Amino acid sequence: MEKDGVIYWLKPEESGLRSLPTDELCYAVTVLPQVKPSAWSIKMFIFEPGKYVSDCLVSFLVDHAPHYVLNTIETVDVYAGSKKVAAIKLETDNKQQTD
């Protein structure tokens, strides 16, 4: 299951990566305190690699991951080792209707 989102990379002065990924497909780790175990491998398809903000698709790397969590949270933090390097704001399925 893939989820649409927007990735926001931290800049180097914010403890982000020295250089942004240039490939569309990237792998990383996220930590989800809502589930046990809390660390999970994710893969991200980045539509505009090399930019600090880009639309993306995010999914877990393994089939037995808690896929349902992506429908219950608003943000997925992205880690390189123990360092947070980005956040993905997920598209929500709860669209507000205006009357």
Side-chain angles (χ1 to χ4, degrees), residues 5-29 42-58 75-81 83-89:
V6 178
I7 189 163
Y8 298 88
W9 294 99
L10 296 175
K11 296 187 175 169
E13 59 270 15
E14 301 170 312
S15 298
L17 300 172
R18 289 185 188 161
S19 59
L20 296 177
T22 56
D23 292 330
E24 292 175 334
L25 189 58
C26 298
Y27 300 91
V29 172
I42 57 172
K43 65 179 175 179
M44 304 165 292
F45 182 85
I46 301 170
F47 290 95
E48 296 182 89
K51 297 200 174 199
Y52 280 100
V53 178
S54 175
D55 289 334
C56 68
L57 295 172
V58 63
T75 305
V76 173
D77 290 334
V78 179
Y79 292 87
K83 182 168 87 167
K84 179 180 171 182
V85 295
I88 301 172
K89 182 169 174 38

Side-chain angles (χ1 to χ4, degrees), residues 53-91:
V53 178
S54 175
D55 289 334
C56 68
L57 295 172
V58 63
S59 63
F60 290 104
L61 198 54
V62 295
D63 291 335
H64 64 276
H67 298 278
Y68 68 92
V69 171
L70 296 180
N71 290 322
T72 64
I73 59 176
E74 294 180 2
T75 305
V76 173
D77 290 334
V78 179
Y79 292 87
S82 62
K83 182 168 87 167
K84 179 180 171 182
V85 295
I88 301 172
K89 182 169 174 38
L90 299 174
E91 293 274 325

